[in-house]
Amino acid sequence: KVRVFVQLYRAQKRAQVLARAEAGRLAAEEATQRSEFLARASRELGESLDLEESMHKLLQMTVPQLAQAALLSVVVEGEQMVLARGPAGDSPGEQTRSATSLDGLPPALSDAFDQAIEQGEAIDVPVWGRAAQDRTLWPEGLRGARVLPLKAGEQSCGALMLGSLKPPPAWEIADQAMLGELASRAGMA
């Protein structure tokens, strides 16, 4: 009987070692994917000196790979440029659209946008209640958002808001760090 318990114990230990090895391999693969994504983002954002083209590229990289919707606002010489990407009403697929302002957002999202720019820190926001007045800015059905400031040096020049079907925190810790790095690179571009 003792031999059976020893064999069972050894089999359990082997299974634990294999599970840890598999978890380590998966974590390494995910880290590699994040690094490759950031490298590609840096290349694409640095290819053009045209701000609007770079804004479009940033949104195309984030939706649908990282989020279900994204909203990007940049202030240049006192003028606000706003682009949104995500499902557009009944249209299939993602589309990037221009907007004149953030006025159609629900107050909680608009406030988070302003707060992220002022404080220079990322903010997670639950999305509930009233949908956006302007559905081209922010589609219905999203449950969480992460607002990331875009910084040029120490000064925030805008923000990127990503929407998720999951409530906050919608992104894992490692993904949050990657999103912060993406916003940092976008602010420098």
Side-chain angles (χ1 to χ4, degrees):
K1 287 185 176 182
V2 173
R3 184 183 313 167
V4 172
F5 286 113
V6 169
Q7 289 174 343
L8 180 60
Y9 174 78
R10 287 179 180 162
Q12 287 175 335
K13 284 295 185 184
R14 280 193 302 272
Q16 290 173 350
V17 168
L18 288 174
R20 279 194 297 271
E22 180 65 14
R25 186 186 66 74
L26 289 174
E29 282 182 14
E30 290 173 359
T32 299
Q33 289 173 350
R34 285 190 289 277
S35 294
E36 289 172 353
F37 175 81
L38 286 172
R40 189 178 83 244
S42 292
R43 277 193 312 275
E44 290 191 24
L45 291 171
E47 283 180 353
S48 174
L49 295 176
D50 181 76
L51 176 62
E52 192 164 347
E53 182 180 335
S54 294
M55 290 173 67
H56 276 275
K57 284 183 179 183
L58 178 60
L59 292 178
Q60 289 169 354
M61 286 184 279
T62 57
V63 177
Q65 185 171 347
L66 302 175
Q68 282 72 40
L71 182 63
L72 177 61
S73 174
V74 177
V75 177
V76 178
E77 297 176 1
E79 185 178 324
Q80 185 178 35
M81 297 176 64
V82 178
L83 289 177
R85 184 167 176 84
D90 298 328
S91 302
E94 291 76 28
Q95 298 179 357
T96 302
R97 300 162 303 283
S98 295
T100 55
S101 72
L102 299 173
D103 291 341
L105 284 177
L109 293 178
S110 182
D111 292 346
F113 217 92
D114 293 340
Q115 186 179 356
I117 292 172
E118 288 172 19
Q119 295 179 356
E121 295 182 12
I123 298 173
D124 286 313
V125 185
V127 179
W128 69 91
R130 192 177 66 138
Q133 294 169 352
D134 183 351
R135 288 184 53 206
T136 62
L137 266 183
W138 200 249
E140 289 186 32
L142 300 177
R143 297 187 56 208
R146 183 162 183 88
V147 186
L148 302 139
L150 303 178
K151 293 183 178 182
E154 289 298 312
Q155 180 141 359
S156 294
C157 58
L160 171 65
M161 181 162 49
L162 302 174
S164 174
L165 296 173
K166 298 182 210 172
W171 290 269
E172 300 292 325
I173 299 286
D175 291 331
Q176 290 177 19
M178 183 206 47
L179 293 174
E181 182 62 27
L182 175 63
S184 175
R185 292 178 189 201
M188 289 186 280

